[in-house]
Amino acid sequence: MTENKTEASNLLQGYLMMLYFSGSMIMFDPSKECIFDFWTKGMLKQLPVKSNNPDFIRAAAILRESTESPDNKYELLKEDFFRLFSGAFRPLAPPYALAYTGEEKPLSEKRKEKLKDFYMKYKWESKFKNNIPCDHLGIELLFISHLIEKYIITEKTEEKTNTGKDIISFIKVHLNPWLARWVRDVNKNALSKGYRGIAMLIKASLEDIYYIIDNQINTKNNHII
């Protein structure tokens, strides 16, 4: 493996860590242990990758600032989770495409079926399927992470290229049409800097992943990692 290929692989591994972290934070209300690991211990002060993406730089800065805010992080983040994503009343930033695409029920059901078809293509099934719908952003991030892991370890050029194209297609079709508006709603309604940073980190990480993989599979000599 060349130095450039190793660097790209390490970058993608770093983005995987951030997707797992941010995805879990929007699927489940944060535990005290999670807050201690990521905020109190200051792990968010130094993210595992660096990026020139302005949104990534902004997200990293917000997350660093969030580690220095008052000691009510647990209560504030927990309150934010329920207000934004899963409150008893209408969530202020529901993590579903349906809230932003304006689709009627038949179209939204068709979107879900396309999602399931994508999952089935890779024989992937969410272990949270009985509790969290397939079109929840956190579930979609888990699937993207699964594809990225497959992309990194696959050695056959054609299979790797096809997986890379599917990652790009998934981001383009299932996330890009609504993710920026979701981030906007999180930024508008979040009480904590933590969730503002997480939302922006998700968007920026997916942009960077898209760029890295698109660049890899479209080089003239097809030198992919």
Side-chain angles (χ1 to χ4, degrees):
M1 187 179 281
T2 66
E3 184 177 348
N4 286 341
K5 292 178 183 179
T6 302
E7 182 181 357
S9 180
N10 289 340
L11 272 175
L12 289 175
Q13 292 282 8
Y15 284 110
L16 273 176
M17 293 173 60
M18 292 185 292
L19 289 186
Y20 280 126
F21 157 70
S22 53
S24 68
M25 288 292 294
I26 63 171
M27 283 197 295
F28 308 105
D29 60 301
S31 66
K32 289 185 178 180
E33 291 79 8
C34 172
I35 303 307
F36 178 77
D37 285 343
F38 289 101
W39 274 269
T40 308
K41 288 174 66 175
M43 293 173 68
L44 292 176
K45 289 183 178 180
Q46 186 66 49
L47 296 178
V49 302
K50 293 183 179 180
S51 170
N52 293 323
N53 183 338
D55 282 345
F56 189 95
I57 294 170
R58 196 173 301 116
I62 293 171
L63 288 170
R64 281 196 302 272
E65 290 172 9
S66 75
T67 66
E68 300 165 0
S69 59
D71 292 334
N72 62 347
K73 297 181 186 73
Y74 172 68
E75 290 78 9
L76 193 61
L77 286 165
K78 196 174 184 72
E79 181 179 355
D80 250 358
F81 175 84
F82 287 106
R83 290 176 67 256
L84 295 170
F85 311 131
S86 67
F89 301 102
R90 187 180 184 278
L92 298 175
Y96 299 93
L98 179 61
Y100 299 94
T101 56
E103 295 171 336
E104 297 296 333
K105 188 172 181 179
L107 283 177
S108 68
E109 290 302 319
K110 188 174 181 180
R111 176 185 288 273
K112 286 185 181 180
E113 289 304 315
K114 287 181 178 179
L115 267 175
K116 291 176 182 177
D117 288 344
F118 227 129
Y119 298 163
M120 287 294 294
K121 178 178 179 179
Y122 285 89
K123 297 180 173 60
W124 185 84
E125 185 175 75
S126 166
K127 62 181 179 180
F128 306 110
K129 65 177 183 177
N130 294 324
N131 300 311
I132 304 175
C134 69
D135 58 336
H136 188 287
L137 176 58
I139 301 300
E140 294 175 328
L141 293 180
L142 282 177
F143 177 65
I144 281 284
S145 298
H146 172 74
L147 292 190
I148 294 169
E149 288 175 341
K150 180 178 176 62
Y151 180 79
I152 291 171
I153 65 174
T154 299
E155 296 183 356
K156 295 180 180 179
T157 299
E158 183 177 359
E159 183 180 352
K160 184 182 286 286
T161 299
N162 289 337
T163 303
K165 288 179 178 178
D166 278 342
I167 292 169
I168 289 170
S169 175
F170 192 87
I171 293 173
K172 185 185 295 185
V173 173
H174 292 288
L175 295 169
N176 282 354
W178 63 278
L179 195 61
R181 283 172 285 173
W182 175 76
V183 173
R184 176 203 63 196
D185 280 355
V186 174
N187 285 331
K188 177 182 176 182
N189 296 294
L191 300 173
S192 65
K193 289 182 178 179
Y195 269 112
R196 292 192 192 106
I198 286 167
M200 193 168 292
L201 182 69
I202 290 171
K203 178 176 178 292
S205 295
L206 290 172
E207 289 171 351
D208 288 356
I209 289 165
Y210 186 110
Y211 173 80
I212 292 167
I213 294 178
D214 187 56
N215 184 62
Q216 290 284 315
I217 65 177
N218 286 298
T219 51
K220 289 182 180 179
N221 297 316
N222 205 30
H223 291 313
I224 57 180
I225 60 174

